[in-house]
Amino acid sequence: MKACAMTDTGRVRTANQDYVYAQAEPLGTLPNLFLVADGMGGHQAGDYASRYIAENLVAHLKQADSPGIVPPLREGILKVNGMLYQESLKSTELNGMGTTLVAAVIEDSTMYVANVGDSRLYLVRNRLQQITKDHSYVEELVSLGQLERGSRDYREKKNIITRAVGTEDKLEIDFFEVSLEPGDYVLMCSDGLSNMLEDAEIEEIICSELELPEKAEKLITIANDNGGKDNIAVVLIDPQIGREVSL
């Protein structure tokens, strides 16, 4: 398995509130762990939230002894959600902070995904397939048939999220289980990438012959060339399912 993680401030923001983590080696009882978190709040609060959640979730999972993949992930996310919420009550500067979180673990040919917010995980199997579902105001209206995806109202209100880690003491997490096939790639990203590139652009880059870090760098470069209106986070994974590895 190969993976790379990169983040960039973009062309407009002065601070980077995105946080990425990628470990292809075992972490506690988990075979690997990949994270993207996009913080929200004041200048420092968003940065604090995304880093806090990622670092404390990793620390928790290193010590976790729950069997399987989903149970320790669920327990860890719920625990750090409560911790971040309590932190937000200690300071007016941190009050109301929160972060999106998308996490992935790959075991053999199965990928387990946890998601809160509107950061995304895509499966790239020749074409881009969004696995996670955005927890956003506009997506709720789309599901109710009250808004057309891609419309002007959709684009203008797309940044309003309905679920985040750390904003309340209770949290609902979405979980997904995905079967992987030879040739698949996995892209995890913040909306600073998905809002700046068309699906076809992402597909072309990821399916190219470039090395994995070069693909991630090119995704960020194009996002910036297209405006770079937000922080950009990219975790790109080549699970190498069914591929012979030379020793």
Side-chain angles (χ1 to χ4, degrees):
M1 182 186 301
K2 294 181 179 179
C4 65
M6 298 182 185
T7 183
D8 189 87
T9 304
R11 295 283 175 85
V12 176
R13 308 286 189 182
T14 57
N16 192 347
Q17 298 186 341
D18 286 1
Y19 194 88
V20 293
Y21 178 87
Q23 178 162 320
E25 303 300 322
L27 178 78
T29 61
L30 301 181
N32 43 67
L33 180 67
F34 308 97
L35 304 172
V36 167
D38 180 357
M40 63 182 202
H43 180 77
Q44 294 182 334
D47 171 70
Y48 183 94
S50 58
R51 179 179 295 273
Y52 184 96
I53 284 295
E55 291 182 347
N56 282 280
L57 180 57
V58 168
H60 171 84
L61 292 171
K62 283 181 179 179
Q63 305 298 325
D65 55 6
S66 298
I69 305 296
V70 173
L73 262 184
R74 186 192 304 276
E75 292 167 9
I77 295 171
L78 290 176
K79 179 179 180 179
V80 296
N81 174 75
M83 291 167 60
L84 185 63
Y85 178 68
Q86 291 301 317
E87 285 292 306
S88 74
L89 301 179
K90 297 177 181 178
S91 166
T92 55
E93 293 181 352
L94 300 180
N95 190 255
M97 68 175 170
T99 180
T100 70
L101 179 68
V102 59
V105 177
I106 297 173
E107 185 176 50
D108 299 324
S109 60
T110 302
M111 176 171 58
Y112 302 88
V113 183
N115 182 58
V116 180
D118 66 351
S119 293
R120 295 178 175 179
L121 182 143
Y122 294 97
L123 177 67
V124 186
R125 187 174 290 163
N126 297 319
R127 67 179 184 85
L128 203 65
Q129 306 172 46
Q130 184 178 339
I131 301 301
T132 54
K133 296 179 180 179
D134 296 353
H135 300 135
S136 63
Y137 172 71
V138 292
E139 281 298 322
E140 286 191 1
L141 293 182
V142 168
S143 66
L144 295 172
Q146 298 177 7
L147 188 67
E148 181 180 349
R149 186 178 286 113
S151 66
R152 181 178 177 179
D153 281 348
Y154 182 96
R155 294 193 302 271
E156 289 179 350
K157 299 175 181 177
K158 189 177 181 297
N159 64 328
I160 304 173
I161 62 174
T162 56
R163 204 186 300 180
V165 182
T167 56
E168 299 178 6
D169 57 350
K170 295 182 180 180
L171 181 67
E172 183 179 354
I173 311 164
D174 284 355
F175 285 92
F176 306 87
E177 185 174 321
V178 182
S179 295
L180 299 174
E181 297 180 3
D184 287 351
Y185 287 92
V186 176
L187 169 66
M188 302 165 65
C189 65
S190 62
D191 61 353
L193 181 79
S194 57
N195 285 346
M196 291 290 101
L197 276 77
E198 298 293 336
D199 288 1
E201 292 179 289
I202 298 175
E203 290 168 4
E204 181 180 358
I205 294 169
I206 293 180
C207 295
S208 70
E209 296 301 317
L210 295 172
E211 294 295 323
L212 210 62
E214 294 173 322
K215 294 178 181 182
E217 288 174 357
K218 190 167 184 179
L219 288 169
I220 290 174
T221 297
I222 299 299
N224 278 322
D225 289 346
N226 289 347
K229 295 179 180 179
D230 202 350
N231 306 146
I232 308 158
V234 174
V235 172
L236 193 55
I237 309 165
D238 178 359
Q240 300 186 316
I241 301 298
R243 194 175 306 172
E244 293 185 4
V245 179
S246 300
L247 300 177

